């Protein structure tokens, strides 16, 4: 009986060791690394930019626009995809080949994030590490700050077509909430266009934007000089916090770092 138990244990470890996972979603990839299971990864999507080692893995395109051929060329045994990944027909094609397709709900709250970590821990045979990671997040998570009169705006886009801002049910809104800051785009849900003339009346004290958006426009100064921002005093003085894109748009194990970045910027105004 003891010999049989050892054999079963070895077989179980072999099954987990043989997993070849493609991760489609930066949040998932970051958690997999945090659980120290990156040896199972054979490919990631373009949003998987943290840690730096993830960007060195073969890429399968952006997670919202996956191509079955690219994913299957890596011969995965499993595809871990974040909610919203790919087109339904692409996911069906991947699953039809016998690949274990798992689609995970995109976390919107800290509780969601911790549930996702627990689930991934179970799927990766890393339950104890998942528990430890959740404890670390709980211990480092700042308490919600007292509400202040400061107002901010998170911009996903600022160009000739106008402004797209983060409203409720977004990670930026949660970061503002933790930092005690009023979100001027709380009038809508998700990421939607915002009327810049309204903002000219109700001015933000500072602007937050993801790094990939800012640098695609030429950097911080170029971003602040966008015609769509000319009416905003915060843009005129370039009161702009540039945040790591994944850190500001997705809930990851670095949630405490994201909150602290916003809080520190607010405190130094």
């Amino acid at each position: 009986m003891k010999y049989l138990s050892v054999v079963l244990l070895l077989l179980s470890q072999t099954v987990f060791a043989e997993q070849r996972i493609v991760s489609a979603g930066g949040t998932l990839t970051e958690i997999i690394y945090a659980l120290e299971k990156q040896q199972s990864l054979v490919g990631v999507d373009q949003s998987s930019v943290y840690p730096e080692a993830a960007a060195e893995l073969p890429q399968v395109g952006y997670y919202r626009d996956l191509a079955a051929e690219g994913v299957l060329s890596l011969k995965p045994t499993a595809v871990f995809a974040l909610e919203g990944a790919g087109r339904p027909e692409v996911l069906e094609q991947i699953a039809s080949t016998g690949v274990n397709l798992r689609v995970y709900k995109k976390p919107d709250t800290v509780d969601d994030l911790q549930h996702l970590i627990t689930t991934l821990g179970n799927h990766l045979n890393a339950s104890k590490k998942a528990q430890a990671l959740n404890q670390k997040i709980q211990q480092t998570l700042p308490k919600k700050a007292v509400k202040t009169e400061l107002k901010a705006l998170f911009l996903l886009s600022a160009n000739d077509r106008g402004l797209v801002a983060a409203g409720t049910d977004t990670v930026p809104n949660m970061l503002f909430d933790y930092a005690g800051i009023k979100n001027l785009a709380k009038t809508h849900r998700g990421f939607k266009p915002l009327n810049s003339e309204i903002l000219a009346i109700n001015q933000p004290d500072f602007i937050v934007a993801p790094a990939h958006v800012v640098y695609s426009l030429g950097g911080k100064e170029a971003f602040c000089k966008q015609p769509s921002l000319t009416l905003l005093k915060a843009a005129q003085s370039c009161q702009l916090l540039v945040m790591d894109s994944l850190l500001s748009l997705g809930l990851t194990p670095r949630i405490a770092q994201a909150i602290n970045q916003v809080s520190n910027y607010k405190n130094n105004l």
Side-chain angles (χ1 to χ4, degrees), residues 129-204:
K129 284 184 175 144
Q131 184 178 0
L133 181 57
N134 277 332
Q135 288 176 346
K136 181 180 178 182
I137 289 171
Q138 244 356 100
Q139 290 166 356
T140 58
L141 194 67
K143 291 183 179 179
K144 287 189 176 182
V146 176
K147 292 289 183 184
T148 67
E149 295 301 315
L150 285 175
K151 297 164 287 187
L153 192 65
F154 183 97
L155 294 178
L156 184 62
S157 147
N159 51 43
D160 294 340
R161 290 174 290 180
L163 308 175
V164 174
T168 61
D169 294 335
T170 63
V171 172
N173 185 71
M174 190 193 72
L175 299 180
F176 290 159
D177 193 39
Y178 262 94
I181 300 164
K182 181 181 179 181
N183 179 9
L184 286 182
K186 216 168 182 177
T187 52
H188 67 253
R189 182 179 178 183
F191 292 91
K192 291 182 181 176
L194 201 61
N195 190 322
S196 58
E197 292 180 0
I198 294 175
L199 291 174
I201 300 171
N202 197 10
Q203 294 272 346

Side-chain angles (χ1 to χ4, degrees), residues 27 106-107 171-172 245-252 255 258:
T27 295
K106 191 173 184 179
V171 172
S245 297
L246 183 55
L247 201 61
S248 60
L249 290 169
L251 273 181
T252 77
I255 179 61

Side-chain angles (χ1 to χ4, degrees), residues 34 45 64 95 106 122 143 145 185 194 213 225 241 253 261 269:
D45 84 304
R64 290 189 181 276
K106 191 173 184 179
N122 291 335
K143 291 183 179 179
L194 201 61
V213 172
K225 290 178 181 177
L241 169 61
Q261 275 190 22
L269 282 176

